[in-house]
Amino acid sequence: MTAPDPLLLSLNTATVRAQWTMDQIVEGCTRHGIRGIAPWRDQVAHAGLIATAQRVREHGLVVTGYCRGGMFPAVDAAGRRAARDDNRRAVDEALALGARCLVLVVGGLPKDAAGRPVSKDLAGARAMVRDGIAELLEYARPAGMPLAIEPLHPMYAADRACINTLAQANDVCDELAPEDDGALGVVIDVYHVWWDPHLAREIARAGAHKRLLAHHLCDWLVPTTDLLNDRGMMGDGVIDLPRIRQWMEAAGYRGFHEVEIFSTRWWKTDPDVVLDTCVRRYRDVT
Ligand code: ZN
């Protein structure tokens, strides 16, 4: 198994969001020899879209993905229109940043204004997601912005994403983008899919259709004490990261490997130590 290419390490800006501004993250990446960056919309909005695009270009960073669009299900037509409009803006921002893809976290059950689920119709939510992606694809494809569906661990089915396995994401791609032109694809985030008995098969399937658009890295800690904000640094948990990378590469993936760690403990750590650890662990255990 060959070592990962150091030039293909990317940092998802959520990893140090608590400690650094967007500008500091861009400078931190450069200082630590990290060539890719994947920013979040709120951080970009805070720093300014044009300013961020300029900073990233000045530093020669590749925007490996833009986080995120999605959240398609809504209680009524007005809600779905609002989601559509917001997603189109996300596509426009991703284009301005020169991102390689817009990551889609598709949304779960429709919620009321207070964020409480108002329905138990999971199949209906999934139909809204499919329709929402189909509609967004009509906007993103001619603009040249690939959409990357990120299947999320089933524990998030109600509140974040009702696409929960890579097979399910591949099925949506088959249905909506049979052309295999790279306009619609998937994100392989190890935190969400490492447990899947069909992972190898489905990575190969995605690769065969040119759908592997991004690879997100972290680790699964035992025990995991918070479902959202207790992701592990690579090497601290139980995910066989080299094996998954091998499956990705065997399926034709040649893109970046993006560290994305939501973690209250790493958010309390000196961000230069975080980035230094990311670089070393990427090299040694990924
Ligand atoms: Zn991810």
Side-chain angles (χ1 to χ4, degrees):
M1 174 96 222
T2 52
D5 184 344
L7 297 179
L8 291 180
L9 175 58
S10 175
L11 181 77
N12 185 293
T13 59
T15 306
V16 287
R17 67 176 310 144
Q19 303 99 314
W20 273 346
T21 63
M22 195 68 215
D23 274 2
Q24 289 173 312
I25 296 173
V26 168
E27 281 158 21
C29 283
T30 303
R31 205 159 55 240
H32 290 270
I34 297 172
R35 307 283 311 275
I37 190 166
W40 279 70
R41 286 186 82 187
D42 59 330
Q43 290 170 289
V44 168
H46 193 258
L49 176 64
I50 303 305
T52 303
Q54 202 173 343
R55 298 286 283 160
V56 163
R57 262 197 306 274
E58 278 166 13
H59 285 257
L61 300 179
V62 175
V63 179
T64 58
Y66 189 44
C67 296
R68 59 179 162 64
M71 298 294 166
F72 296 103
V75 280
D76 54 20
R80 286 190 291 280
R81 268 198 307 277
R84 178 199 65 193
D85 293 346
D86 189 54
N87 277 313
R88 288 182 177 179
R89 282 192 294 274
V91 168
D92 295 343
E93 292 162 23
L95 286 163
L97 291 165
R100 291 201 170 172
C101 62
L102 173 65
V103 173
L104 298 181
V105 171
V106 297
L109 295 168
K111 300 179 196 70
D112 65 16
R116 283 182 300 259
V118 294
S119 160
K120 297 183 182 180
D121 183 6
L122 190 55
R126 287 176 169 150
M128 283 189 245
V129 165
R130 183 202 56 220
D131 293 348
I133 295 173
E135 193 178 24
L136 189 60
L137 193 57
E138 286 174 21
Y139 184 82
R141 176 182 266 138
M145 179 48 60
L147 300 177
I149 303 169
E150 182 162 343
L152 259 54
H153 192 287
M155 65 188 172
Y156 296 118
D159 56 348
R160 288 178 192 274
C162 56
I163 291 184
N164 306 105
T165 64
L166 185 52
Q168 202 188 341
N170 272 326
D171 287 346
V172 172
C173 293
D174 277 348
E175 186 185 342
L176 301 182
E179 310 81 340
D180 294 346
D181 58 356
L184 183 64
V186 296
V187 179
I188 308 299
D189 183 323
V190 297
Y191 187 76
H192 297 300
V193 299
W194 71 276
W195 56 273
D196 184 346
H198 300 305
L199 185 58
R201 182 187 77 194
E202 293 297 324
I203 286 175
R205 177 183 166 198
H209 295 275
K210 301 191 179 69
R211 289 180 194 147
L212 293 171
L213 299 183
H215 185 207
H216 294 178
L217 296 174
C218 67
D219 214 333
W220 183 276
L221 300 177
V222 180
T224 289
T225 59
D226 184 284
L227 299 185
L228 191 58
N229 296 326
D230 191 31
R231 290 187 181 211
M233 176 63 67
M234 295 86 74
D236 288 346
V238 296
I239 302 179
D240 192 341
L241 297 166
R243 186 179 296 262
I244 295 176
R245 181 170 64 85
Q246 194 174 31
W247 289 338
M248 295 282 289
E249 290 173 355
Y253 184 70
R254 298 291 178 269
F256 278 74
H257 305 279
E258 175 185 322
V259 178
E260 182 186 40
I261 301 175
F262 305 94
S263 162
T264 45
R265 21 185 142 175
W266 287 103
W267 284 330
K268 284 183 210 139
T269 305
D270 174 349
D272 275 304
V273 172
V274 177
L275 264 54
D276 184 56
T277 309
C278 289
V279 169
R280 283 187 294 106
R281 298 292 184 87
Y282 171 67
R283 184 190 62 206
D284 297 339
V285 303
T286 305

